[in-house]
Amino acid sequence: MNAKRRRFAGITLGVLGALALAGACSQPSAAGPGASIGDIAAARGLSEADISAAVKTYVPTGQFDEYMMFASGGHSGQALVIGIPSMRLLKVIGVFTPEPWQGYGYGSEEHAQLMEDGDMAGHEIRWGDSHHPALSETDGDYDGQYLFINDKANPRLAVIDLRDFETKQIVQNPLFGSNHGGAFVTPNTEYVIEPAQYAVPLDGTYAHIDEYEERYRGAVTFWKFDRDAGRLDESESFTIELPPYWQDLSDAGKGPSHGWAFINTFNTEMATGGVMKGNPPFEAGASANDMDYLTLINWEAAARVADEAGKTVQIQGRRVIPLQTAIDEGLIYFTPEPKSPHGVDVTPDGQRLVISGKLDPHATVYEWDRIQTAIADQNFSGTDAYGVPILDFDAVVEKQVELGLGPLHTQYGSNDIAYTSLFLESAVVKWSVSQGVVLEKLPVHYNVGHIAMAEGDTRSPDGNYLVSLNKWSIDRFATVGPLHPQNFQLVDVTGDQMQLLYDSPIGIGEPHYAQIIKADKLAAWETYPQIGFNPATMSPAEDIATTGTERIERRDGEVHVYMTAVRSHFTPEHIEVNQGENVVLHVTNPEQTRDATHGFAIDKYNVNLSLEPGESQVVRFTADAAGVFPFYCTEFCSALHLEMAGYLFVRP
Ligand code: CUK
Ligand code: CUA
């Protein structure tokens, strides 16, 4: 050990010693190894409930979690993968935002195209406000194949393949100003539902706010999913024009209500804001009415109408069913719902819809049989200003159950039990939908938005666990500055009483929705199945090198570098080009050992790849800066990892 290292080690030990002493003064330390559980609990001041909570979340090393939660990454634009019950963060999937570890968005041709597909209005958009992840479904149950997620800020959807947990597609919706109530899938993932949020002119042009009622519109898009291709198919998708109200959450009918979609609709007042012009502010104007509307859409019939000649118009290249056509064809109905609605959640049997209005302490339970009867009997209480029939409220509502303050979102456990988040009360309420009674309330910390339960929005919920996705954490964690962590709280719902088990700060904001799938439904690959695999097409790449065929070729005005990355070298190690030449790198990792990933980063050229075992990627760049640029492997892949390097020489 040289002198410098000794000094460093000395400082470290000193700091640790000081920390240990400080710890000993401020709180009792844990008893040492070999101490009994009783001794440890006494030393740390733990109650029996604390110990039971700790044991319930503990997953011993080498063992796996029973469930996986896919959570929105909020402003990060990503999707989080978290094990349950351990709450261990397993992955941050790069979706709308570049992700350096996965080399997502830093050079590869395919990623560049994926991200460009999401650019809007001439702007390069490299973030998202992801709200609602949706796992693909078969017969109303998660099938573990795909994940969809929306970007509310810029109306986009992404498709993630759960074989390699990578984003495969980003689609944009030029008709919308933003979206919110997606992604939600129909029971066989026939469609991914994407309702707009704020109304805008659908043709993308300017219209004065005074023309709001004539020119601004709401809308909902049904994106056709091609499961074999693993892509949303724009040409088979369609949009339905809606009045200029604002859409919020949505859900798809299942079982008896299969074929229908339900969307909460607010600002039915058509408030246009403009507080500095003397108008009521949006928050008052858009919540003046006691009732807003639940929008009911027959998507199965709408899909047929969309295919009929003359029933759609093209707006910005998209197929749109005009509102009047939707009314005439019986595709759309409204029914009143309590003011400022937020969540709409179909029960597992598809017989009921539970709706929460943020400013009403009740959950309103609608019955599907009654809705169908009201439609058949044309039992309308009128139409709205645009001619949409309004189903009579009393005819379709089964009951209203007083749950507490600020009910938002409902999930389902087993045996007819529902759980609803209470935003204003910072609590989760457990209640019986069929009996209409509240069973229990559990305080959470704090300002809960969504809750997620094990398979809690499928046809067969598991119960077992509930995660409360809290906006605030206030006093739960050490202060890390004025921007506090946001908090996932794990709750055990197996017993008569809910038990709070674990606080999990997520390090990014803001959590919206999550879905929890039984882990054994997922069948992710451990390595890519063939050497030279292209994750963008999920098939073998053609124009690549494997071990022994590495080379540099000049053709068609480009320098093609066929490279392999194997522990612990790149071949070739020297790339010599002239300034201004176009370089195409074809890099393959021919390893088939689990976890033998190599990175590939070029100094100052903003190129950064992750080459997982078997993976092949193509990078194109112009060697515009002359000089000497080392490239190296960014994964500590072997003892000789630091030697896994090379040079890009760019001759002036
Ligand atoms: S929303 Cu965030 S708490 Cu976007 Cu589903 Cu309700
Ligand atoms: Cu390969 Cu480090």
Side-chain angles (χ1 to χ4, degrees):
M1 201 185 270
N2 65 28
K4 206 163 108 200
R5 280 216 183 143
R6 254 198 310 275
R7 218 178 100 235
F8 180 69
I11 289 169
T12 307
L13 285 174
V15 170
L16 284 176
L19 282 175
L21 277 175
C25 297
S26 61
Q27 63 176 70
S29 61
S36 73
I37 291 180
D39 291 342
I40 298 168
R44 300 195 61 212
L46 302 178
S47 68
E48 205 166 308
D50 294 333
I51 296 168
S52 113
V55 172
K56 283 179 180 179
T57 61
Y58 182 66
V59 177
T61 184
Q63 294 187 21
F64 300 160
D65 282 293
E66 185 183 357
Y67 291 98
M68 291 246 239
M69 176 163 71
F70 291 88
S72 80
H75 310 71
S76 78
Q78 316 294 43
L80 308 179
V81 188
I82 294 169
I84 286 181
S86 73
M87 297 304 282
R88 296 182 293 206
L89 175 65
L90 300 173
K91 196 165 205 174
V92 178
I93 304 173
V95 185
F96 297 109
T97 307
E99 206 292 319
W101 176 47
Q102 292 152 35
Y104 178 67
Y106 294 96
S108 112
E109 226 184 4
E110 312 275 13
H111 290 160
Q113 187 58 53
L114 188 70
M115 300 222 151
E116 268 172 41
D117 289 345
D119 289 344
M120 301 188 81
H123 294 119
E124 205 176 72
I125 301 172
R126 295 294 177 271
W127 77 289
D129 182 13
S130 60
H131 277 229
H132 302 110
L135 288 157
S136 58
E137 294 181 11
T138 300
D139 292 332
D141 279 312
Y142 304 148
D143 55 39
Q145 293 184 1
Y146 293 94
L147 181 74
F148 308 92
I149 193 163
N150 75 317
D151 168 17
K152 168 174 162 163
N154 320 287
R156 302 184 295 176
L157 293 176
V159 181
I160 296 150
D161 192 318
L162 294 178
R163 283 173 292 180
D164 65 354
F165 281 52
E166 287 197 4
T167 301
K168 303 298 174 187
Q169 187 185 24
I170 294 176
V171 296
Q172 54 172 274
N173 200 325
L175 306 174
F176 292 6
S178 56
N179 71 27
H180 188 238
F184 287 92
V185 301
T186 58
N188 287 302
T189 325
E190 297 95 336
Y191 289 93
V192 179
I193 309 172
E194 183 200 22
Q197 185 139 63
Y198 307 111
V200 294
L202 299 186
D203 60 8
T205 59
Y206 167 81
H208 193 279
I209 193 76
D210 288 349
E211 297 180 285
Y212 187 83
E213 296 181 15
E214 304 82 57
R215 294 283 314 280
Y216 288 55
R217 285 294 177 270
V220 52
T221 298
F222 292 83
W223 286 92
K224 183 76 186 163
F225 184 57
D226 180 341
R227 198 187 279 263
D228 292 334
R231 296 288 188 277
L232 297 169
D233 182 351
E234 189 191 304
S235 67
E236 293 290 312
S237 304
F238 64 91
T239 297
I240 300 176
E241 177 194 11
L242 300 175
Y245 312 141
W246 294 354
Q247 275 64 57
D248 205 38
L249 284 201
S250 61
D251 201 2
K254 49 181 90 127
S257 53
H258 180 101
W260 288 73
F262 309 105
I263 307 170
N264 282 325
T265 302
F266 67 118
N267 194 15
T268 52
E269 299 85 349
M270 295 187 279
T272 53
V275 70
M276 291 183 69
K277 297 176 188 161
N279 300 329
F282 273 120
E283 69 200 73
S287 49
N289 293 347
D290 273 343
M291 295 295 236
D292 285 297
Y293 295 133
L294 171 68
T295 303
L296 304 98
I297 291 180
N298 186 338
W299 63 258
E300 256 182 350
R304 287 193 294 271
V305 169
D307 284 340
E308 287 175 31
K311 294 282 169 69
T312 57
V313 294
Q314 290 281 322
I315 304 178
Q316 301 206 63
R318 305 295 166 106
R319 278 202 301 176
V320 179
I321 300 176
L323 178 58
Q324 191 59 51
T325 306
I327 296 167
D328 295 343
E329 297 283 338
L331 307 180
I332 179 169
Y333 299 91
F334 288 147
T335 185
E337 64 179 3
K339 72 192 297 178
S340 299
H342 195 48
V344 46
D345 297 286
V346 178
T347 53
D349 61 8
Q351 293 282 11
R352 294 181 170 99
L353 322 175
V354 173
I355 274 108
S356 302
K358 300 183 291 275
L359 301 178
D360 180 311
H362 298 87
T364 304
V365 181
Y366 296 71
E367 219 175 19
W368 180 243
D369 289 344
R370 293 174 196 240
I371 290 172
Q372 276 184 306
T373 306
I375 292 173
D377 297 349
Q378 306 214 337
N379 188 353
F380 305 139
S381 54
T383 62
D384 82 329
Y386 296 84
V388 179
I390 302 169
L391 301 173
D392 181 66
F393 182 73
D394 294 325
V396 296
V397 167
E398 182 200 10
K399 58 167 95 75
Q400 291 191 290
V401 185
E402 186 166 345
L403 296 182
L405 300 179
L408 296 186
H409 298 291
T410 298
Q411 288 263 295
Y412 300 97
S414 43
N415 308 325
D416 170 55
I417 302 296
Y419 299 79
T420 300
S421 54
L422 301 174
F423 179 79
L424 297 176
E425 230 176 290
S426 285
V428 171
V429 58
K430 173 179 168 185
W431 57 292
S432 159
V433 183
S434 60
Q435 291 165 38
V437 291
V438 167
L439 302 170
E440 195 198 342
K441 260 184 207 178
L442 178 79
V444 292
H445 313 91
Y446 299 86
N447 289 17
V448 51
H450 278 272
I451 50 179
M453 297 195 67
E455 312 229 336
D457 61 4
T458 67
R459 291 203 73 183
S460 54
D462 283 10
N464 296 340
Y465 296 106
L466 179 152
V467 174
S468 175
L469 292 90
N470 305 332
K471 315 287 187 187
W472 287 11
S473 64
I474 307 183
D475 54 4
R476 296 293 105 170
F477 307 110
T479 301
V480 289
L483 186 60
H484 296 259
Q486 304 206 327
N487 192 9
F488 285 6
Q489 286 188 310
L490 180 69
V491 177
D492 175 0
V493 296
T494 52
D496 289 340
Q497 291 203 314
M498 291 184 271
Q499 184 190 4
L500 180 59
L501 298 181
Y502 194 73
D503 281 7
S504 184
I506 52 169
I508 55 170
E510 167 193 335
H512 289 276
Y513 192 41
Q515 290 185 327
I516 302 173
I517 183 175
K518 199 102 167 76
D520 62 16
K521 285 188 178 177
L522 295 162
W525 290 337
E526 293 180 345
T527 64
Y528 281 106
Q530 277 166 280
I531 292 171
F533 208 78
N534 177 356
T537 58
M538 293 300 251
S539 62
E542 277 166 13
D543 199 18
I544 62 160
T546 49
T547 310
T549 64
E550 299 93 341
R551 64 201 182 274
I552 298 179
E553 279 175 15
R554 281 184 163 72
R555 64 167 195 265
D556 307 327
E558 291 177 320
V559 186
H560 289 263
V561 181
Y562 293 89
M563 177 182 275
T564 56
V566 184
R567 277 166 292 173
S568 302
H569 54 268
F570 293 109
T571 311
E573 291 178 325
H574 287 180
I575 303 172
E576 292 178 74
V577 301
N578 297 317
Q579 186 174 11
E581 275 192 304
N582 295 318
V583 182
V584 187
L585 291 174
H586 311 249
V587 196
T588 301
N589 174 355
E591 304 221 35
Q592 285 289 275
T593 306
R594 188 165 148 165
D595 226 358
T597 295
H598 301 287
F600 176 82
I602 309 179
D603 175 40
K604 301 187 188 86
Y605 264 89
N606 197 32
V607 170
N608 170 35
L609 309 178
S610 169
L611 297 150
E612 288 125 48
E615 182 169 354
S616 194
Q617 296 225 7
V618 177
V619 182
R620 253 169 225 278
F621 64 93
T622 304
D624 42 16
V628 175
F629 305 92
F631 56 83
Y632 75 102
C633 169
T634 57
E635 289 274 334
F636 210 120
C637 55
S638 65
L640 295 175
H641 146 81
L642 290 178
E643 291 77 0
M644 190 167 175
Y647 284 104
L648 167 69
F649 305 100
V650 183
R651 285 183 298 250

